[in-house]
């Protein structure tokens, strides 16, 4: 099967690289969720065969403490400094380790990702009490892990095995039982991928995409529900039968309403940011998020969360200087507003670069977002913070030791004292990847990263309400 036209048009960044590791390049469609930069890293991996179904994996002979209910998020100040924790054995992997999900269970951070060695992929689960020292507590053979969440009595992770979406549940993070996620009625020759999962008051909700394996397969978004993390059902609704290429990238459950964020590509060379919404008293509905007037190209939602000031969605959109980071806000999760002014949108653009905001999380009274900017020949990590979802500061950071030539942040999880961000750092050729974790604010044992002042846009590129702040960050204000 050929690669999706979306990928051929746009290429990959590091987030696309981890998904390529989960699903080989011959699969059409998977890159739609994340192919948003000129290709810098491609992990070409052939999936190691493994029969689907339930199985149990145990690694650590001394299990960690039982998962507890997550603690309330701190109401402390938003981070103004960030630091990357030192490289260590647990973050090194065997060859390419990319972290793509992170969560706080009330006592520890738990991160998941994929470690590749040659053609073999292994899902990895790491834990850390404070975010500084990390330990590998589980390794799931022949599996790619993409996300993790914390329920009242168990952990649930999702990923891919042998082209099929899977969910894994555990009470301690060490011993995991996996289940192949079902499809709605349709052709038998379908493959799928689970990319995101979240806990709710009634169980768990996961999202991803499914496609047939014919000559011109259409990729459709899919949402799964479970009360216990073990038995799952797929949402069967006509709104998900797109007949085009589409995917769910993030899931939020608020007041028993499910918000599935992603994108839909209905024509070559373009996609639209989408949020699918479902509440107990009504079926699913698709909501297309707005773009700047005249904007044409690829756009999508990568992350969504709700905080004291309302809903915030992040992702990418077309801009005059290339692909740019984008932020949408809403008071109810159904009517959305795109931040920014005429021309480029929000604070996601610097000249001659492409930016993607990968994830967002409520923290205290505000929000934290993470992403990456591609400025040839390297990709670096970028952080944003906002007290209200509308006024944002941007932090472009350099590792204190110079780091590897490329790094990208994918997921964010706050605890009461610190925000932890999980991602990856690559060498310039993409031959080596390390798991990477940043903390904000950095504790005394973590060196603060050196901020980089992004180049100020020219008048033709200047966004209304966006200025270069003298204290090394970009401030955006919605006028």
């Amino acid at each position: 099967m050929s690669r999706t036209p979306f990928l051929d048009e746009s290429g990959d960044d590091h987030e696309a690289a981890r998904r390529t590791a989960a699903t080989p390049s011959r699969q059409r469609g998977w890159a739609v969720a994340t192919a948003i930069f000129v290709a810098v890293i491609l992990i070409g991996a052939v999936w190691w065969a493994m029969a689907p179904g339930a199985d149990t994996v145990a690694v650590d002979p001394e299990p960690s403490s039982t998962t507890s209910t997550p603690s309330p998020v701190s109401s402390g100040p938003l981070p103004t400094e960030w630091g990357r924790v030192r490289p260590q054995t647990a973050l090194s992997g065997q060859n390419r380790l990319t972290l793509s999900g992170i969560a706080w269970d009330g006592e520890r951070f738990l991160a998941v990702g994929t470690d590749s060695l040659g053609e073999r992929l292994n899902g990895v689960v790491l834990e850390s009490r404070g975010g500084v020292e990390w330990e590998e507590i589980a390794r799931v053979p022949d599996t790619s892990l993409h996300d993790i969440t914390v329920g009242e009595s168990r952990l649930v992770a999702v990923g891919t095995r042998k082209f099929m979406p899977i969910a894994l549940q555990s009470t301690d993070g060490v011993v995991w039982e996996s289940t192949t996620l079902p499809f709605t009625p349709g052709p038998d020759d379908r493959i799928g991928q689970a990319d995101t999962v979240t806990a709710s008051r009634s169980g768990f909700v996961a999202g991803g995409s499914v496609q047939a394996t014919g000559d011109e397969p259409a990729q459709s978004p899919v949402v799964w529900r479970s009360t216990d993390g073990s038995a799952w059902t797929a949402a069967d609704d006509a709104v998900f039968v797109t007949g085009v290429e589409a995917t769910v990238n993030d899931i939020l459950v608020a007041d028993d309403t499910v918000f599935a964020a992603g994108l839909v590509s209905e024509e070559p060379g373009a996609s639209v940011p989408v949020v699918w919404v479902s509440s107990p008293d009504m079926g699913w509905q698709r909501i297309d998020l707005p773009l700047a007037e005249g904007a044409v190209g690829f756009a999508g939602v990568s992350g969504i969360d709700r905080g004291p000031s309302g809903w915030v969605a992040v992702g990418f959109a077309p801009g005059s200087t290339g692909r740019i980071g984008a932020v949408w806000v809403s008071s109810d999760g159904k009517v959305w507003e795109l931040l920014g002014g005429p021309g480029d949108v929000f604070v996601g653009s610097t000249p001659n670069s492409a930016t993607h905001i990968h994830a967002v999380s409520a923290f205290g009274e505000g929000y934290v977002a993470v992403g990456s900017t591609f400025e040839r020949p390297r990709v670096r990590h970028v952080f944003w913070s906002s007290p209200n979802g509308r006024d944002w500061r941007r932090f472009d950071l350099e590792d204190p030791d110079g780091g590897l030539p490329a790094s990208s942040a994918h997921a964010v999880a706050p605890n009461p004292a610190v925000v932890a961000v999980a991602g990856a750092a690559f060498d310039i050729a993409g031959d080596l990847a390390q798991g990477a974790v940043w903390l904000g604010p950095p504790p005394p044992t973590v060196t603060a990263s050196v901020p980089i002042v992004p180049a100020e846009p020219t008048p033709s590129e200047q966004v209304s309400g966006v200025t270069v702040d003298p204290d090394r960050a970009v401030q955006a204000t919605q006028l």
Side-chain angles (χ1 to χ4, degrees), residues 355-370:
T355 300
H356 183 180
I357 308 178
H358 298 295
V360 64
S361 178
F363 180 69
E365 295 300 314
Y367 306 83
V368 173
V370 299

Side-chain angles (χ1 to χ4, degrees), residues 131-426:
V132 178
E133 301 295 333
W134 289 83
E135 178 185 2
E136 182 180 307
I137 59 172
R139 181 168 284 254
V140 186
D142 310 314
T143 299
S144 176
L145 294 181
H146 300 158
D147 198 13
I148 185 171
T149 192
V150 179
E152 290 188 359
S153 62
R154 68 192 63 203
L155 307 166
V156 170
V158 295
T160 306
R161 177 184 299 151
K162 198 181 178 182
F163 307 113
M164 298 298 289
I166 62 168
L168 305 93
Q169 59 94 13
S170 172
T171 58
D172 57 17
V174 178
V175 179
W176 293 83
E177 180 180 312
S178 66
T179 302
T180 301
L181 295 174
F183 296 145
T184 56
D188 294 332
D189 59 339
R190 287 180 294 172
I191 55 180
Q193 178 162 316
D195 287 321
T196 178
V197 65
T198 191
S200 69
R201 290 185 293 190
S202 59
F204 302 90
V205 184
S209 52
V210 57
Q211 71 177 93
T213 58
D215 294 335
E216 293 295 332
Q219 177 177 307
S220 298
V222 60
V223 173
W224 295 276
R225 296 177 186 260
S226 174
T227 58
D228 59 5
S230 180
W232 295 80
T233 58
D236 188 4
D237 195 291
V239 73
F240 293 120
V241 182
T242 62
V244 291
E245 294 194 0
T247 187
V248 172
N249 297 329
D250 198 15
I251 294 279
L252 168 68
V253 180
D255 300 328
D256 295 323
T257 298
V258 179
F259 300 85
L263 59 83
V264 173
S265 176
E266 296 177 316
E267 59 183 78
S271 64
V272 295
V274 171
V275 173
W276 293 271
V277 180
S278 173
S279 56
D281 58 346
M282 60 184 298
W284 287 90
Q285 63 180 125
R286 169 181 155 178
I287 300 172
D288 291 6
L289 275 58
L291 293 174
E293 184 177 357
V296 177
F298 292 111
V301 182
S302 302
I304 186 172
D305 204 359
R306 185 180 72 165
S309 299
W311 282 254
V312 173
V314 300
F316 58 99
S320 64
T321 62
R323 193 133 319 121
I324 59 177
V327 169
W328 297 265
V329 296
S330 174
S331 61
D332 60 4
K334 298 177 182 179
V335 179
W336 291 87
E337 174 189 354
L338 175 66
L339 294 187
D344 287 338
V345 179
F346 185 56
V347 293
S349 176
T350 54
N352 304 314
S353 69
T355 300
H356 183 180
I357 308 178
H358 298 295
V360 64
S361 178
F363 180 69
E365 295 300 314
Y367 306 83
V368 173
V370 299
S372 52
T373 288
F374 172 56
E375 293 179 343
R376 193 178 299 275
R378 63 180 301 157
V379 175
R380 66 168 180 266
H381 46 284
V382 186
F383 299 81
W384 293 262
S385 65
S386 171
N388 54 22
R390 288 182 172 271
D391 305 313
W392 290 83
R393 298 184 70 188
R394 171 175 169 168
F395 303 84
D396 291 53
L397 303 180
E398 191 73 83
D399 289 328
D401 60 355
L404 293 175
S407 59
S408 181
H410 295 306
V412 57
N415 79 358
V418 67
V419 178
V421 174
F426 295 78

Side-chain angles (χ1 to χ4, degrees), residues 3-4 6-7 11-12 16 27-36 219:
R3 303 181 72 185
T4 172
F6 189 104
L7 181 58
D12 300 24
Q27 286 188 233
R28 296 178 50 122
W30 293 148
V32 173
T34 54
I36 43 81
Q219 177 177 307

